[in-house]
Amino acid sequence: MVKLPLHWSKINEIGSMWGIKIMLVIHSVFGRWGFRVFLYPVIVYYYVGQTSARRASNEYLQRLQPFIKLKQFRKLSTFKHFLMFGEVLIDKFLVWMNKIRLEDVVFETPRTIKRIDESKTGGVIVVSHLGNMEVCSALVQQLPDLKLTILGFTQHAVKFNALMNTASDTSSIELLQVTDMTPEVAIRLSERINGGGYIIIAGDRTPVTGNERVSNVSFLGERAPLPQGAFILAGLLKCPIYFMFCLKEHSRYHIYLELFSERLRFSRKERHSEVTSAVQLYARRLEYYCIKAPLQWFNFFSFWHAPTSKEE
């Protein structure tokens, strides 16, 4: 029997709380350029030690090759991919410490931002591990009345989230750890949306409870499993659903917020295929932004693997 790659949720986090804090102090004393000097040997250490992550990075970059110019592809490498992750990691903490200002963020879709500001009801915003999804907190700075609930599986990111919670004083953002969509969780999210809040959920990580709610769609030329959860949730809650991508370009973060649907409706008979069609459209947008910023998609585990039992 072929042994499947380890599920992303089973991969333990690396590093220590003290190590993260030391890197933050280095950044505060020496700035970003000084931080890069100290970051380099750290990245070398993880690059050498994390074989599976290095292999996954290489696989991802190889998948990108047919979609980008050869000259651009030759400039990419797994080490640069690791190094970019290190730079974005420190920015994640700076966001929660309120040290990334609005001047550091470019809102590329002002009409969509205005629509959210004028809307009386909430919705679902699908993000990814492309760029820095923590910068979504900039929406709260831009729209002070906005309430965000970030859903995530954080069992193996306890250190990271503990430091985030300690550093952050943003009361408009709720971090909610979810391993299954129970009736209690659904009611809580429904109340949040009815009150004008928005649910933030990643669209590029398969559920920890199994492959029942996964669609196998085309992504960078191969079939890959992507979760249905965000789309099913938006359909159940009868609310708008948006895609949000945040890329670092020329030392500033550019937020792309796209309205995907005012309201998703799935028929009972064709429900699975209709959900899969929605997931495929999301995969196309994720693919587009991966091509735009090839080193900023941070899924350091085997992403393309054997199809689920519900292969399309």
Side-chain angles (χ1 to χ4, degrees):
M1 181 179 292
V2 177
K3 184 178 180 181
L4 294 178
L6 200 63
H7 190 270
W8 68 267
S9 63
K10 303 299 183 183
I11 301 173
N12 290 313
E13 63 174 335
I14 55 178
S16 68
M17 179 73 79
W18 280 110
I20 293 171
K21 288 183 176 180
I22 289 171
M23 296 305 287
L24 284 173
V25 171
I26 289 172
H27 183 276
S28 65
V29 174
F30 298 100
R32 180 165 292 277
W33 284 103
F35 173 78
R36 285 173 175 161
V37 173
F38 287 92
L39 177 67
Y40 194 88
V42 174
I43 293 301
V44 170
Y45 172 79
Y46 286 124
Y47 178 80
V48 173
Q50 297 296 314
T51 306
S52 59
R54 191 170 66 246
R55 188 184 304 118
S57 170
N58 182 65
E59 180 186 16
Y60 160 64
L61 295 178
Q62 292 300 319
R63 299 285 186 195
L64 273 173
Q65 183 175 6
F67 298 90
I68 61 178
K69 295 180 179 179
L70 182 60
K71 183 178 180 180
Q72 181 186 11
F73 178 75
R74 286 175 175 170
K75 294 179 180 180
L76 305 179
S77 69
T78 56
F79 182 72
K80 287 182 179 179
H81 195 192
F82 274 63
L83 198 61
M84 177 63 74
F85 175 73
E87 292 214 22
V88 170
L89 181 62
I90 193 65
D91 282 347
K92 290 176 181 287
F93 291 108
L94 294 178
V95 168
W96 289 91
M97 294 167 68
N98 298 318
K99 291 189 177 181
I100 287 187
R101 307 159 299 170
L102 275 178
E103 304 92 272
D104 302 318
V105 180
V106 178
F107 294 94
E108 295 284 2
T109 52
R111 289 185 179 180
T112 311
I113 300 294
K114 182 179 179 181
R115 184 188 185 281
I116 286 181
D117 189 30
E118 295 175 348
S119 177
K120 295 182 180 179
T121 58
V124 172
I125 300 177
V126 187
V127 297
S128 68
H129 291 79
L130 177 71
N132 188 344
M133 61 182 174
E134 275 73 16
V135 176
C136 67
S137 64
L139 285 174
V140 175
Q141 298 179 52
Q142 183 77 359
L143 308 173
D145 295 330
L146 189 66
K147 302 292 184 181
L148 301 179
T149 297
I150 302 176
L151 299 188
F153 178 78
T154 56
Q155 180 176 319
H156 293 308
V158 176
K159 300 170 191 172
F160 185 86
N161 285 282
L163 187 54
M164 294 282 245
N165 291 332
T166 301
S168 176
D169 61 358
T170 305
S171 59
S172 296
I173 301 178
E174 175 188 17
L175 299 174
L176 182 61
Q177 178 178 320
V178 175
T179 55
D180 197 13
M181 189 58 64
T182 64
E184 292 78 10
V185 172
I187 291 173
R188 185 174 180 180
L189 297 181
S190 178
E191 291 174 346
R192 191 75 163 179
I193 287 178
N194 290 336
Y198 285 79
I199 310 302
I200 307 291
I201 182 171
D204 59 348
R205 290 281 176 93
T206 55
V208 300
T209 52
N211 291 323
E212 293 80 9
R213 296 178 181 176
V214 167
S215 291
N216 294 284
V217 296
S218 176
F219 178 60
L220 292 176
E222 290 291 339
R223 305 289 276 182
L226 287 177
Q228 302 173 346
F231 304 93
I232 294 175
L233 181 63
L236 290 174
L237 298 181
K238 302 177 182 179
C239 65
I241 181 169
Y242 299 82
F243 297 159
M244 186 166 72
F245 301 93
C246 182
L247 307 179
K248 191 163 189 179
E249 304 172 53
H250 308 294
S251 300
R252 300 178 75 188
Y253 276 102
H254 294 246
I255 293 180
Y256 300 85
L257 186 61
E258 306 174 354
L259 174 64
F260 175 63
S261 176
E262 290 278 3
R263 180 179 172 184
L264 289 175
R265 293 178 174 86
F266 303 121
S267 64
R268 291 186 179 181
K269 187 177 181 180
E270 302 294 334
R271 182 173 182 271
H272 184 72
S273 62
E274 290 170 355
V275 171
T276 294
S277 294
V279 176
Q280 179 64 77
L281 290 172
Y282 169 74
R284 291 300 182 203
R285 298 311 293 159
L286 177 61
E287 184 178 272
Y288 170 82
Y289 286 104
C290 281
I291 294 169
K292 187 177 180 68
L295 292 178
Q296 293 188 40
W297 191 53
F298 305 122
N299 267 323
F300 293 106
F301 61 93
S302 182
F303 196 79
W304 293 266
H305 55 73
T308 67
S309 58
K310 291 189 176 182
E311 175 66 61
E312 295 300 317

